[in-house]
Every structure is written in structure tokens, then in C-alpha cells.
Amino acid sequence: MHAAPPLNSESATPGGAAPATPKRDLRRVDIHPDYWYPLAWSREVKRGKTYGTTFAGEPVVLYRTEAGAVHALEDRCAHRQVPLHMGVVDGDGIRCGYHGWTYDCSGKCTDVPYLGKERLPNGVRAYPCREAEGLIFIFPGDPAKATDDAFPPLGSVADPKYKTRRFGREVACHYSFMHENLMDMNHQFLHRKQMGQMRARSLGRRSGEGWVEVDYTFAREAGRQPIGEALVFKERRTAATEQAKDVMTIRTQYPYQTLKIVSGGGTLVMDLWICYIPLDKEQRTNRTFGLLSIRKPSLSVLLDLAWPALVWFTERIFREDREIVEREQLAHDRQGADWNHEVFPVINELRALLVEQGAPPVRLVDRRFALLPHTAAGAD
Amino acid sequence: MHAAPPLNSESATPGGAAPATPKRDLRRVDIHPDYWYPLAWSREVKRGKTYGTTFAGEPVVLYRTEAGAVHALEDRCAHRQVPLHMGVVDGDGIRCGYHGWTYDCSGKCTDVPYLGKERLPNGVRAYPCREAEGLIFIFPGDPAKATDDAFPPLGSVADPKYKTRRFGREVACHYSFMHENLMDMNHQFLHRKQMGQMRARSLGRRSGEGWVEVDYTFAREAGRQPIGEALVFKERRTAATEQAKDVMTIRTQYPYQTLKIVSGGGTLVMDLWICYIPLDKEQRTNRTFGLLSIRKPSLSVLLDLAWPALVWFTERIFREDREIVEREQLAHDRQGADWNHEVFPVINELRALLVEQGAPPVRLVDRRFALLPHTAAGAD
Amino acid sequence: MHAAPPLNSESATPGGAAPATPKRDLRRVDIHPDYWYPLAWSREVKRGKTYGTTFAGEPVVLYRTEAGAVHALEDRCAHRQVPLHMGVVDGDGIRCGYHGWTYDCSGKCTDVPYLGKERLPNGVRAYPCREAEGLIFIFPGDPAKATDDAFPPLGSVADPKYKTRRFGREVACHYSFMHENLMDMNHQFLHRKQMGQMRARSLGRRSGEGWVEVDYTFAREAGRQPIGEALVFKERRTAATEQAKDVMTIRTQYPYQTLKIVSGGGTLVMDLWICYIPLDKEQRTNRTFGLLSIRKPSLSVLLDLAWPALVWFTERIFREDREIVEREQLAHDRQGADWNHEVFPVINELRALLVEQGAPPVRLVDRRFALLPHTAAGAD
């Protein structure tokens, strides 16, 4: 009797409805680049300033002109590869802080101070960039696909009937652990100290091209309703029957995730939009960007008053989730493979979705070359 | 003239009596799992609580039931591989802190809260576990060999005529450096500040199946007798001749080590039992568990009074030893191989013993596979 | 448009005069060992004390006898490879702090306390060692080449007409980045906060066997002359025409570098000698030793009074340089290759020089063996 490795774990899964085992290790599937991804909060990119970050190991510099426009370039001077975010914003462009090479917002090199204009070298990559609802998005994949249609709806953040908490932080795990954590509401045991003893009941799941979703109701088995939860529902629940009328729907619409709670009366009381951005090349860390919209009560100042308590509550939940998913990643690191033994059908569907929609695997021949010294093109 | 690498160091060894050179790098020999090993002090595993540790990279959770029994399981939920020590003790078993999967003390999965009992998945590995003299032991190897006979004697700790100091800490080196450090008493120069100038004289060595031992006498060449030493002998020595009557015997009885001092009068005045537990998979760190038993004087309160001084003294000795063996490990890490150039015959015997008694080498074919991505069984 | 990798970057270089692309990755070229290299400041090696350091990953112990002589040995006891710098100076030699093995200043083992003199094992490597102008040099390569003629001139440090600042620190980059940083004065933009807006103009370059040098004049485009600069020239400049009379010459005379400023009047006003010592085996870090000699004014106390300001100024310049070259190294680490896209001809000459004069490449067969476990000679 041994937890690992579960040689035929999927075929032995009690929930026999699970899809066939994907052959790729989910934790090594890169996120697909052909989507709009948030890389920063608007407030982090100030006028006339740069902001350096990464997407899946690729350095990206965001900067805002004095006029307020935001642009995104490869964060690496074409000359000596130092980060452009160490330079200075110059009109619509950016000037490298080392030798002063200058790039416009399309990435074209427009000035090398000690070189004739007719001899200017190539520039750097520019990313399609959009700002919306306090988030700055880039499109790291094929720019031809960076259409308005591809831009995701952001829940209820723009609806004045809702108040939105913007939250997030870095989590040291592959983005797939984040999706599974949120979608599997059987993990309420993890939050027993915050939530009391809640029992989730799955009502059923649906799926389609690029998405999977599941509905839950909840019943309190023991303990009292926490304040944070009461804030969302604007009332104190006492009977499990009332509670059971609320339906929580969690959906992964690749690569985004949403969680909606509709009350028994048919009102959307909570609407969460969340996205997980891989930071490093191995995609073993992510930065989470969440928009948590709560429907305002008729006297909306009440929600404002209660806001600090809600922040405190959600932070504690998030901290518990973060700790456990980071432990999952550590186990994967140690084991070198995904030993997951999943028995919950919707999670198996989600896992298959994340593999199918993810970036195609790097061909083995490329991997091999990456290990050899001195073969990189252009090395000198 | 160069210290490294000593291509034919062993054959060029002046002490020609040394055994033939073993071909395996001693620092890469894993400890043999078919022994009882202490993993924690009893006080570290409280009633109703868990305690997570590792043995040679394998995560192990120890827990104590409310009734006081101690059990040891693989510290990894069969579901998502998070550590069980983050969960809660539940009767004789343990409940994972994430989704609430529960295991009994044999490792069998007895509950998945959202799954029918008839569909329960496999469990986790359980280890034979025993508590003795303030230590909790497990048997990480073949459970069929975890007999009472295999349980080691623990020196004089159970003898009321002795008072025992329990000590230990993590040391960042392979366990073999610990054995060599203790057995080679020619390293008194290291402790010159604590001990004064002592000269060890080897009286001879003996060996048998699974053990090797050596006797020493000591002579003070300069400096005064330290308090700590006087505490052990209950008297102040002034003449080297008196001192020479005491005999120290150091023995490695694989995988344990003992150091006994018998006074000129034939009394066992000090009795040390010590064991080194590899923590990481590469076995480049160990946790030391030591039981240092000192024979009580007729007025035993004197030993109690002197105890803090003895603790202070042994801690300083231990700190010096730790610093130097960690340097040995660093040199091995840097060099990638063991360049040891040993001239002391008993140490060469000890080294051969540790190789012979250690775990068999991992076959090269396995090593190679371990380096390839995506080949682990059960990855999905 | 993408900064990397510049597949044909050199051939596309606007400055077509650049030499042909060297095939080796400059950042993987080891420094050539057949030169005198400073490893410490004299004041760091006190009488009767040891000083442990490394040259390109090789541990070296420097020690000074009570009589004042300095010696350099391999910092690794032939017995168990612990650092000799943890031992004690003993006459002209050094005694290991573990078992007391003793080596004389030629590296010969002269005592193993528990072994007959006739059976003494081999010793450790000794390095030719010289002390000059407050620096301790060793010759890590072929000792036969460690002649007086090979010892480098150290600028104007010995000339009483100059006052010298000794400076340096560890920088986490390959030594080649240091050479390029100093020689390419087009990087004045980096120091815009310290220096104001200076524009360097290259007057031409020269090269020969083992060296390359370039002359610059400077013109201030905006901002005021900094105090630190005025200290060097002993006067305040206001007109760019005057400034243009000063000529700065930067020379890499492998493996050393110098920077000299000759005023319009023909006086050598500043004379910098600098050397970059790789610390680790991969040579991705270096320790810089610099001798910055400033010509004293007729009233030399004025220079003494101004000295703290000069120290402050040079430290700030050095800090900016350090930060940017460490970013270059990080980019190389991330990319696994040198994507440098150089357009300045003298830097391309310098790069070619550093490759040609550097240590020959390690043969690939050796590299491969280094990756295999258990093949190191002498492992046991």
C-alpha cells in the first residue's frame, strides 16, 4: 500500500466516468500564449515610468507615457540584453539606461546615440497591450489573433450594482493547481477554521469547446456562518434548506476562471473573475489577478462598512489555498511527475481541458538542444 | 604536488594494512533501510498532533493518538500528495487537511467524504513504528525484518546508575563523515581549544560481521584538563600515567555507533549511543540522535549540579565537529568525488564496512531514466 | 522584430569594420591562468593568520608568517580536503585544523602527528606568490612562466606624485563584461545622474599582440560638471572646447586593464590599473582589484581634503556599473548564450582579443565525462 506512483490510477478511479488519461504531465503543460493575459494592475504602471515583469519566463516591460498610454515591449535591449525597465520613458518610446539605445512603442530602434540613423539595428518585440478595469493586458502569442473579440469579459466589475475587490499575489505553483483548487469545492475541509464545517454537493457539470463548469450547493454541517459569508448574502442563514437554494457555479473558460453565486431568489450575489499568469519559464510560479464583485445592498454604504471584514476573510481563505497548492507543487518537484489520483469526475474533465487547450509540447529535439552548451544560435 | 585527485591514493597509503579500495564512492552509498532508525524525540510528537519529517528523502508523518500510541505513515496523501502532517489526527488515524481523505494507522484509506465507502481508493504506506527511551523509531525497509531482535540496544540509557543527555541536530553532510569523525580520535587537534593538547594512542582494532571497533588511550601533552572532562571522570587528573589507564572504545555496529569509556578501575564511566539519519534523497544531510549516558557519582546531585557545564562542553565539541564535517561534504560537492587520502587503518576498515553494509547501488539504467522528463510511471 | 537571438547579428552589424565572429561564447571563455593575478589586499592577510579565497573555483589559502612572508597553497588538506585556512600558521608552514597534518610553504607534507616521518603522504599544490603595492598576487598557471618579467606594471601607484585609492568588490558577472563596460565609454548615459549629460567621442583605436586600446574626448551636453570630476582635473571647466583637449585612453593589455587621462597640457592626471579575478569555476563572478592614482596638486593637502568626495563619487559610479553588468550576466544565464549585438568596432576587437587570449576550451569529451557519476579518478 503506497501512495505513489499510481501506475494505473486513472483506470482504477472509482468515478469511472472520468475521461481517458492524457499522456502529458499536466504540470509541464505550458499555458497557451494566444490569449489576453493581465500582467499588472493599472496603478502599478505610473505616468512616465516603467514596470518590469515576466510572462512564462519572457521579460516584458510595461510603461506609461506622460500622456497616459500604456505600451508593452520585450524587456531586453537588443544591444546587450539588459532590462529596458531600467531605462527611461522618452515620448512614446523607451531609452535603454546603459548606452541609450531608444525604441518606439512598436519596438523599432529609433536611436543609437553614437551611430548614424541610417545604420540603426533591429529592435525588440512589441506586444499588443490593452488596459481595462484597472488591469493591463498583453497578448503574448500570435499578434494577428489579438482581436477585440478575443478580449475576455471581466465578470461584473463594470456593473455599478457591484463593488469589486481587486486582489492577487504570487503563488509558487503551476497554474493548473489553481484551477483545480477553485473548481473542487470538496476542499472545504481545508477552510474549516474560516468556514465551519461545510459540505459541498455537486449538482452536475457541463462542458463544451474550451470550457467546463460545475454547480454546487452547500450545507452547513456544524459551526456558525462566518461574517464574511453573511456579507455576501446580506442575511444570516440558519436553516440548511435556505442555504441549499443558493447555487455556486465554477467555470474554467480557458484560460480564465469564474465563480458565480446565484441566490435562491435568482440574484447574482457574487461574481469572481480570476486568471493565473505563469511567471517563470518552467511555469512553476504564477501571479494571480482576481476581480471579486459583490452585489451592493440597497443601502450600499453597508457594504463599504463591511468591506474590511470581507477583505480579511478572503485573505485568510486565499492564504490557506496558497499554502496547500504550493505543497502540491513541492510534491511534484520532489516526485518529478504528477502522481495525482483524482476521483472527482469534473476535476478529471478540467485536467483534460487544461492539457488540450494548453500550448503544444516542445518537440523533444528542441529540448535536447537546449541542454547542449555552445549551440545557441548567434552565440559569439 | 597536488592534493587532488589521489589517483592511486589507497595503494600509496603508508598504512599498507588498509583493505582494498572499494570501487563505489562512499559518499554516494545510501544507508541500508533494513534497520530501525530514530526519526524524532518522543516530546516532539504530542498527543493528538502530527509531526512531519523525512527519511532519505521519503516524507514520513509521525502522529500520536489521544490515547498515546504513535504511528508512522507516508507523509503524502494518496489523492494530491500534500503532506498528511498538515491534516488532523482522527481516532487511530489521520485525516488529510485538504479534501479530508482519511487513513487508519495501517495506511488504509477509510474515508473520502464525497465518495461511497465501496469505492475507496488505495491508501498510503505505513511503517513499523516503536517508541523507546524518548525516541521514536521506524523501520523504513522490508517490514518483515522489523523484528524485536532487530531493535538495537541503546547503551546505558535505561540503567538508573546513569544520567543521560539527549542531544542532536541537523548536520549538512553524508552520514559516513559522522562515523569517520567519531572513530578517528586523531582529530583531537580540532578540539584543542576545548580539550587542550591531547594525544590519542590507538591500542588496536577488532572487526566482525557488520562491525568494527578501536581502542584508544589518551595523554595530555599540554594544557589543563577541561571541566567537562573532569565531570565524566569524577576526579582531576594530573599525571599522564593515570589518564592512560582509561580506555575509550569506539564501535560502529552498522548503522549505529557507540563510544564507551572504561576507567582504569574497570567502571564504564561514559556510554554514548548515536545514530545519523539521512534526511534528503541524496543523503547529504543527516539528523543526529545521541544518548550520552554518564555514570552517576555516589552523591548523584553533584552530577545534576555539574550538568549545565557538561551540556555547554559537549555542545562546543559538537559544534566544532559539525563545522568540519560540513566542510568535508562541501569539498565532496565541489570535487564531485571522494578524494579522501586515508592513512589510518581503522578508518579504512570503517569505510569498507560502510560501503559493504550500505544499500546496494541503484542500477545505472534507473539513474538514466530518472534524468529523462515525462517517463515517470503514471504521469498524466 | 525581436531582440534575440541575433542569428546573424555580427554580419548585420552596421559598423562593418568589426572582426569576424568568434565561434566560442565569450562568456564561457575561462581566463588564462598563465598570468599574475591579485587575490587579496595585503591588509587582509595578517601576520600569523590565514586567508581563504578562490581563483576560478580553485580554493587558495594565503597566509603570512610571523616574520611577514606571504605564501599561497592549495586551500585543501591532502587528507580529507577540508580548507587549510581553518588551520593554523606554524613557522613557515600551515597545520590543518582537523587532524594536524602540516605542510611547508612549498606544499610538502612535513608532519602527520600519528604517522612516522618516513611514511608521509604527498602534499598540496603551492603557487608562486608575490606582494606588491598592497596587493598579493599568485600565478595560478604554469609555475615556469611565473617570471619577474611577467609581473605587470601597476600604473602610477609607486610614483610619489600620485595618490592612490585602492578599491574593489565582488561583482556577479563574467570578467569579460567588466572589460567591455570600461572600454565602451558610450555608456555615459548610465551615469547621467552622477556625471550629467556627457558625450564621448572616439578618436581612434590601436591594437597589437595581446592588447587593444581606444582614445576618447568628452563633451558635456547638459548639466554641471560634478565635483568628483573637478577633483581629477583640479579646475572647473565651463567650455566644451577646453574639455575636449583632455584625452582618455582605455587599454586592455590582457588580462589587465588601464584607463589614463592626459590633460590638454600633457600631464597624466589620472591613472587606473584594474584587474578582474574570476572566483567560481564557471567564472560568473569576479572580484575586482583597482588602483586609482590621481596626480597630486602642488598643494597636495587639497587632494587629501577632497578625498572623501572622490571616494563617494567613484563608489556611486562603480555601483551603477556593477548593477548593469550583473544584469548582463543574468540575461546570459537566462538565455544560455551570448546574444550580444555589438555595433562599436573597438568592443568587437576587444571581444575577439578576450577570446583569443583566454584559456583554451575544455574538450567536449571532458565536459561529457564531468556529467557522469562515479567516474572521477580516485573515488572510493
Side-chain angles (χ1 to χ4, degrees):
Chain A
M1 215 173 326
H2 203 304
L7 275 152
N8 300 299
S9 67
E10 296 291 346
S11 57
T13 294
T21 309
K23 291 291 176 267
R24 291 174 68 192
D25 181 343
L26 171 56
R27 314 313 174 186
R28 289 195 172 93
V29 173
D30 289 350
I31 213 165
H32 202 293
D34 285 346
Y35 291 91
W36 287 99
Y37 289 101
L39 288 207
W41 299 106
S42 292
R43 62 178 158 70
E44 292 175 316
V45 187
K46 299 183 181 8
R47 279 177 196 253
K49 299 291 182 189
T50 65
Y51 178 86
T53 183
T54 57
F55 175 85
E58 280 306 300
V60 178
V61 57
L62 305 176
Y63 65 95
R64 192 184 296 276
T65 67
E66 290 294 347
V70 178
H71 301 291
L73 299 179
E74 187 180 352
D75 191 15
R76 174 159 57 197
C77 181
H79 179 209
R80 300 187 67 90
Q81 289 73 55
V82 297
L84 288 177
H85 78 255
M86 294 172 76
V88 295
V89 176
D90 189 347
D92 270 353
I94 194 167
R95 181 175 291 269
C96 177
Y98 198 177
H99 300 82
W101 291 32
T102 307
Y103 305 89
D104 69 16
C105 64
S106 74
K108 190 179 153 201
C109 182
T110 57
D111 187 33
V112 172
Y114 48 100
L115 207 65
K117 296 284 182 198
E118 74 288 356
R119 308 194 303 176
L120 290 177
N122 283 331
V124 297
R125 181 173 176 185
Y127 295 96
C129 182
R130 284 183 61 163
E131 191 166 13
E133 301 299 345
L135 283 169
I136 297 171
F137 292 77
I138 71 159
F139 196 95
D142 176 2
K145 298 180 179 168
T147 60
D148 285 358
D149 285 353
F151 200 81
L154 300 175
S156 299
V157 63
D159 186 334
K161 294 193 293 294
Y162 292 80
K163 182 178 170 83
T164 296
R165 167 157 153 68
R166 291 166 168 80
F167 71 96
R169 73 185 65 184
E170 288 190 28
V171 185
C173 75
H174 191 255
Y175 61 90
S176 60
F177 290 113
M178 305 297 287
H179 279 270
E180 294 181 68
N181 170 266
L182 187 64
M183 191 165 280
D184 189 348
M185 278 292 141
N186 295 308
H187 84 269
Q188 288 307 310
F189 187 65
L190 177 68
H191 304 304
R192 60 200 178 274
K193 284 171 195 161
Q194 317 307 327
M195 301 287 284
Q197 266 179 256
M198 293 291 285
R199 164 65 61 95
R201 187 175 304 277
S202 164
L203 299 182
R205 64 189 198 272
R206 293 170 294 279
S207 61
E209 177 60 26
W211 61 272
V212 55
E213 68 180 17
V214 58
D215 294 332
Y216 293 98
T217 55
F218 287 86
R220 183 167 308 283
E221 301 197 307
R224 294 181 50 211
Q225 184 192 32
I227 296 291
E229 188 190 312
L231 291 172
V232 171
F233 290 98
K234 320 300 172 307
E235 55 180 312
R236 291 227 162 240
R237 307 299 175 79
T238 47
T241 45
E242 281 186 45
Q243 216 168 21
K245 294 177 195 161
D246 308 320
V247 174
M248 175 189 284
T249 302
I250 302 167
R251 176 182 179 107
T252 290
Q253 171 89 45
Y254 192 87
Y256 316 108
Q257 204 167 29
T258 57
L259 182 157
K260 293 173 192 288
I261 302 176
V262 175
S263 72
T267 305
L268 176 64
V269 293
M270 192 177 113
D271 194 0
L272 169 69
W273 179 90
I274 196 161
C275 191
Y276 317 107
I277 310 302
L279 294 173
D280 59 313
K281 188 175 169 59
E282 297 292 319
Q283 309 208 3
R284 293 186 185 183
T285 56
N286 74 86
R287 188 175 177 197
T288 292
F289 292 89
L291 301 171
L292 175 64
S293 299
I294 308 286
R295 177 135 184 142
K296 296 174 186 170
S298 43
L299 196 60
S300 74
V301 69
L302 291 180
L303 186 57
D304 298 336
L305 288 171
W307 205 248
L310 183 120
V311 168
W312 180 85
F313 177 73
T314 52
E315 282 299 301
R316 299 207 18 167
I317 296 288
F318 194 90
R319 199 179 312 149
E320 289 174 342
D321 284 327
R322 185 173 59 159
E323 186 179 9
I324 206 79
V325 293
E326 291 186 341
R327 291 295 190 145
E328 291 192 276
Q329 180 67 54
L330 281 176
H332 186 279
D333 292 347
R334 175 181 289 174
Q335 291 150 194
D338 189 6
W339 292 359
N340 200 71
H341 183 99
E342 194 49 65
V343 299
F344 191 43
V346 69
I347 298 302
N348 278 318
E349 275 197 69
L350 171 63
R351 291 161 60 85
L353 174 80
L354 293 173
V355 171
E356 289 158 17
Q357 300 289 320
V362 178
R363 283 168 307 165
L364 274 179
V365 64
D366 291 346
R367 290 227 168 209
R368 203 147 39 81
F369 273 100
L371 296 172
L372 293 177
H374 306 306
T375 59
D380 72 335
Chain B
M1 213 174 327
H2 203 303
L7 275 152
N8 299 299
S9 68
E10 295 291 348
S11 57
T13 294
T21 309
K23 290 290 176 268
R24 290 175 68 193
D25 181 343
L26 171 58
R27 313 314 174 185
R28 289 197 172 92
V29 173
D30 289 349
I31 212 164
H32 202 294
D34 285 346
Y35 291 91
W36 287 99
Y37 290 101
L39 289 205
W41 300 105
S42 292
R43 61 179 160 70
E44 292 175 317
V45 186
K46 298 180 182 8
R47 278 176 197 253
K49 299 291 183 189
T50 65
Y51 179 86
T53 185
T54 57
F55 176 86
E58 280 306 300
V60 178
V61 56
L62 306 176
Y63 64 95
R64 192 183 295 274
T65 67
E66 291 294 346
V70 178
H71 302 291
L73 299 179
E74 188 180 353
D75 191 14
R76 174 160 57 198
C77 181
H79 178 210
R80 301 187 66 90
Q81 288 74 55
V82 296
L84 288 176
H85 78 255
M86 295 173 74
V88 294
V89 176
D90 189 348
D92 270 354
I94 194 167
R95 180 175 292 268
C96 177
Y98 198 177
H99 300 83
W101 291 32
T102 307
Y103 305 88
D104 68 16
C105 64
S106 75
K108 190 180 155 203
C109 182
T110 56
D111 187 34
V112 172
Y114 48 98
L115 208 67
K117 296 284 181 198
E118 74 288 358
R119 309 193 304 177
L120 290 178
N122 283 331
V124 296
R125 180 171 177 187
Y127 295 95
C129 182
R130 283 184 60 162
E131 192 166 13
E133 300 299 345
L135 283 169
I136 297 171
F137 291 76
I138 72 161
F139 196 95
D142 176 2
K145 298 181 179 167
T147 59
D148 285 357
D149 285 353
F151 200 81
L154 301 175
S156 299
V157 63
D159 186 334
K161 292 194 294 294
Y162 293 80
K163 180 178 173 82
T164 296
R165 167 157 154 68
R166 291 166 168 78
F167 70 96
R169 71 185 66 182
E170 288 188 28
V171 185
C173 75
H174 191 256
Y175 62 89
S176 60
F177 290 112
M178 305 297 287
H179 278 270
E180 293 180 69
N181 170 266
L182 187 64
M183 192 165 281
D184 188 350
M185 278 292 141
N186 295 308
H187 83 270
Q188 289 307 310
F189 186 65
L190 176 69
H191 304 304
R192 60 199 179 273
K193 286 171 194 163
Q194 317 307 326
M195 302 286 285
Q197 266 179 257
M198 293 290 285
R199 165 65 61 96
R201 187 175 305 276
S202 164
L203 299 183
R205 62 189 200 272
R206 293 169 295 279
S207 61
E209 177 62 24
W211 63 272
V212 55
E213 69 180 14
V214 58
D215 294 333
Y216 293 98
T217 54
F218 288 86
R220 182 168 310 284
E221 302 198 303
R224 295 182 48 212
Q225 184 192 35
I227 296 291
E229 189 192 312
L231 291 172
V232 171
F233 290 98
K234 321 298 170 313
E235 56 180 313
R236 291 226 162 242
R237 306 300 174 81
T238 47
T241 45
E242 282 188 42
Q243 215 168 21
K245 296 177 195 162
D246 308 321
V247 174
M248 175 188 286
T249 302
I250 303 167
R251 176 185 179 104
T252 290
Q253 171 87 46
Y254 192 88
Y256 315 109
Q257 204 167 29
T258 57
L259 181 157
K260 294 173 193 288
I261 302 177
V262 174
S263 72
T267 305
L268 176 64
V269 293
M270 193 177 113
D271 194 0
L272 169 69
W273 180 91
I274 196 160
C275 191
Y276 317 107
I277 309 302
L279 294 173
D280 59 314
K281 187 176 171 56
E282 297 292 319
Q283 309 207 3
R284 293 187 186 181
T285 56
N286 74 85
R287 188 176 178 196
T288 292
F289 291 89
L291 301 171
L292 175 64
S293 299
I294 307 285
R295 175 130 186 149
K296 295 175 187 171
S298 45
L299 196 57
S300 76
V301 69
L302 291 180
L303 187 57
D304 298 334
L305 287 171
W307 205 247
L310 183 120
V311 168
W312 181 84
F313 177 72
T314 52
E315 282 299 301
R316 298 206 20 165
I317 297 287
F318 194 90
R319 198 179 313 147
E320 289 174 341
D321 284 327
R322 184 174 58 159
E323 186 179 8
I324 206 77
V325 293
E326 291 187 342
R327 290 293 191 147
E328 290 192 276
Q329 180 67 54
L330 280 177
H332 186 279
D333 292 347
R334 174 181 289 173
Q335 292 150 195
D338 190 6
W339 292 0
N340 200 72
H341 183 99
E342 194 49 64
V343 299
F344 192 42
V346 69
I347 298 302
N348 278 319
E349 275 198 68
L350 170 63
R351 290 162 61 84
L353 175 79
L354 292 173
V355 171
E356 289 158 17
Q357 300 288 321
V362 179
R363 283 168 306 164
L364 274 178
V365 62
D366 291 345
R367 290 227 168 207
R368 204 149 38 83
F369 273 101
L371 296 172
L372 294 177
H374 306 306
T375 58
D380 72 335
Chain C
M1 213 172 331
H2 202 303
L7 274 151
N8 300 298
S9 68
E10 297 291 346
S11 56
T13 294
T21 309
K23 291 289 176 269
R24 290 175 68 193
D25 181 344
L26 170 58
R27 314 313 175 187
R28 290 197 172 91
V29 173
D30 289 349
I31 212 165
H32 201 294
D34 285 345
Y35 292 90
W36 286 100
Y37 289 101
L39 289 206
W41 300 105
S42 292
R43 61 178 159 68
E44 292 175 318
V45 187
K46 298 180 182 10
R47 276 176 198 256
K49 300 291 182 187
T50 65
Y51 178 86
T53 184
T54 56
F55 175 85
E58 280 307 299
V60 178
V61 57
L62 306 176
Y63 65 95
R64 192 184 295 276
T65 67
E66 291 293 346
V70 178
H71 302 291
L73 299 179
E74 187 180 353
D75 191 14
R76 175 160 54 198
C77 182
H79 179 210
R80 301 187 68 91
Q81 288 73 55
V82 297
L84 288 177
H85 79 255
M86 295 171 75
V88 295
V89 176
D90 190 347
D92 270 353
I94 194 167
R95 181 175 292 269
C96 177
Y98 198 177
H99 300 82
W101 290 32
T102 307
Y103 306 89
D104 68 15
C105 64
S106 74
K108 190 181 154 202
C109 183
T110 55
D111 186 34
V112 172
Y114 48 98
L115 208 66
K117 297 284 182 196
E118 74 288 358
R119 309 193 303 175
L120 290 177
N122 283 332
V124 297
R125 181 173 175 187
Y127 295 95
C129 182
R130 283 184 60 162
E131 191 166 15
E133 301 299 346
L135 284 168
I136 297 171
F137 292 76
I138 71 159
F139 197 95
D142 176 2
K145 298 180 178 168
T147 59
D148 285 358
D149 285 352
F151 200 80
L154 300 175
S156 299
V157 63
D159 185 333
K161 293 192 294 296
Y162 292 79
K163 181 176 170 83
T164 296
R165 167 157 154 69
R166 292 167 167 79
F167 70 97
R169 71 185 68 182
E170 288 189 27
V171 184
C173 75
H174 191 256
Y175 62 90
S176 59
F177 290 113
M178 306 297 287
H179 279 270
E180 294 181 69
N181 170 266
L182 187 64
M183 191 165 280
D184 188 350
M185 278 291 141
N186 295 307
H187 84 269
Q188 288 307 310
F189 186 66
L190 177 69
H191 304 305
R192 60 198 177 276
K193 285 170 193 161
Q194 317 307 326
M195 302 286 285
Q197 267 179 254
M198 293 290 285
R199 164 65 60 95
R201 188 175 304 275
S202 164
L203 300 182
R205 62 188 199 273
R206 292 168 296 279
S207 60
E209 177 61 25
W211 62 273
V212 55
E213 69 181 14
V214 57
D215 294 333
Y216 294 98
T217 54
F218 288 86
R220 182 168 309 284
E221 301 197 306
R224 293 181 50 210
Q225 185 192 32
I227 296 291
E229 189 190 312
L231 291 173
V232 172
F233 290 97
K234 320 299 172 306
E235 56 180 314
R236 291 223 162 243
R237 306 298 174 82
T238 48
T241 45
E242 281 186 44
Q243 216 166 20
K245 294 177 195 161
D246 307 321
V247 174
M248 175 189 284
T249 302
I250 303 167
R251 177 184 179 106
T252 290
Q253 171 89 44
Y254 192 87
Y256 316 107
Q257 204 167 29
T258 56
L259 182 155
K260 293 173 192 289
I261 301 176
V262 175
S263 73
T267 306
L268 176 64
V269 293
M270 193 176 113
D271 194 0
L272 169 70
W273 180 91
I274 196 161
C275 191
Y276 318 107
I277 310 303
L279 294 173
D280 59 312
K281 188 176 170 57
E282 296 293 318
Q283 309 208 2
R284 293 186 187 182
T285 55
N286 73 85
R287 188 175 178 196
T288 292
F289 291 89
L291 302 171
L292 175 65
S293 299
I294 308 286
R295 177 138 183 138
K296 295 175 187 169
S298 43
L299 197 59
S300 76
V301 69
L302 291 180
L303 187 58
D304 298 336
L305 286 171
W307 204 248
L310 185 121
V311 168
W312 180 85
F313 177 72
T314 52
E315 281 299 300
R316 297 202 26 161
I317 296 287
F318 194 90
R319 198 181 311 148
E320 289 174 342
D321 283 327
R322 185 174 59 160
E323 186 180 8
I324 205 78
V325 293
E326 291 186 342
R327 291 295 190 146
E328 291 192 277
Q329 181 66 54
L330 281 176
H332 187 279
D333 292 346
R334 174 182 288 173
Q335 292 151 193
D338 189 6
W339 292 359
N340 199 72
H341 182 99
E342 194 48 64
V343 299
F344 191 41
V346 69
I347 298 303
N348 278 319
E349 276 197 69
L350 171 63
R351 291 161 61 83
L353 174 79
L354 293 173
V355 170
E356 288 158 18
Q357 299 289 321
V362 179
R363 282 168 308 163
L364 274 178
V365 63
D366 291 346
R367 290 225 167 211
R368 202 148 40 80
F369 273 101
L371 296 171
L372 294 177
H374 307 306
T375 59
D380 72 334

